Amino acid sequence: MIAEILNIIFPAPRQVSTERIYKPYLTNMLRTKFPDADIRLSDTSFKLVDVRQFKLFLGRNTTNHRPYIKEIHDCDDFSFVLKGDVTRWDSDLAFGIVWAISPEGTYHALNIMVGTDKEVYFVEPQTDAVLQVSHEWVVRFILM
């Protein structure tokens, strides 16, 4: 509750980067990394995410503090909440939701983003981990 009040009074600064990635290039990038994924991009271009600034945002965000409740508030819900919070922070970012099969063989929802370094990252909304994409994940769906 205190963190939410502080975020209202002192919101995280918007990210500094204005560099954009355009739909054809982004589609090709994602298709190359995730050939079996159903990729849905809602805009013609997105701002690339400054990973350092994003980690500062995550430090203030409270999504990871929410309780996990199987089938009620689980991985897909965490990814939706973080996507909404990121959209409130900056609605134009190359940030979305991904559904995938983890290296352990379980279905999982998490977030995905493209950094200013043009690398694709997974974001685990339950822990705030920003992860390099591993080819051990089988991505089935991307919404950005």
Side-chain angles (χ1 to χ4, degrees):
M1 180 68 160
I2 293 174
E4 291 170 354
I5 293 170
L6 287 175
N7 281 331
I8 292 169
I9 299 170
F10 305 107
R14 292 206 186 278
Q15 79 154 18
V16 179
S17 172
T18 58
E19 186 179 357
R20 302 193 74 76
I21 188 167
Y22 292 88
K23 191 173 191 172
Y25 183 83
L26 179 56
T27 301
N28 187 52
M29 173 193 286
L30 295 173
R31 177 79 50 229
T32 300
K33 287 191 178 296
F34 313 112
D36 298 325
D38 179 7
I39 300 168
R40 304 295 172 152
L41 304 177
S42 60
D43 292 320
T44 57
S45 70
F46 301 86
K47 283 194 303 193
L48 295 172
V49 180
D50 181 313
V51 176
R52 185 185 60 77
Q53 286 259 317
F54 182 75
K55 287 180 178 179
L56 292 173
F57 165 81
L58 280 179
R60 298 181 67 131
N61 182 268
T62 59
T63 300
N64 60 313
H65 298 294
R66 298 171 72 99
Y68 176 92
I69 304 169
K70 187 174 182 168
E71 294 299 322
I72 295 171
H73 189 75
D74 53 8
C75 62
D76 59 318
D77 302 294
F78 277 90
S79 70
F80 297 146
V81 169
L82 185 58
K83 171 61 174 145
D85 289 350
V86 168
T87 300
R88 264 198 326 248
W89 179 53
D90 191 330
S91 64
D92 200 24
L93 295 178
F95 187 89
I97 294 167
V98 62
W99 290 353
I101 302 171
S102 74
E104 296 78 32
T106 59
Y107 289 89
H108 192 54
L110 59 163
N111 297 98
I112 189 169
M113 68 181 187
V114 181
T116 52
D117 57 1
K118 302 225 175 47
E119 290 294 325
V120 178
Y121 296 90
F122 288 148
V123 180
E124 175 50 74
Q126 297 176 62
T127 64
D128 284 352
V130 177
L131 312 165
Q132 292 278 19
V133 168
S134 164
H135 292 293
E136 296 173 342
W137 286 81
V138 179
V139 173
R140 295 293 189 203
F141 178 72
I142 299 170
L143 176 63
M144 190 177 288

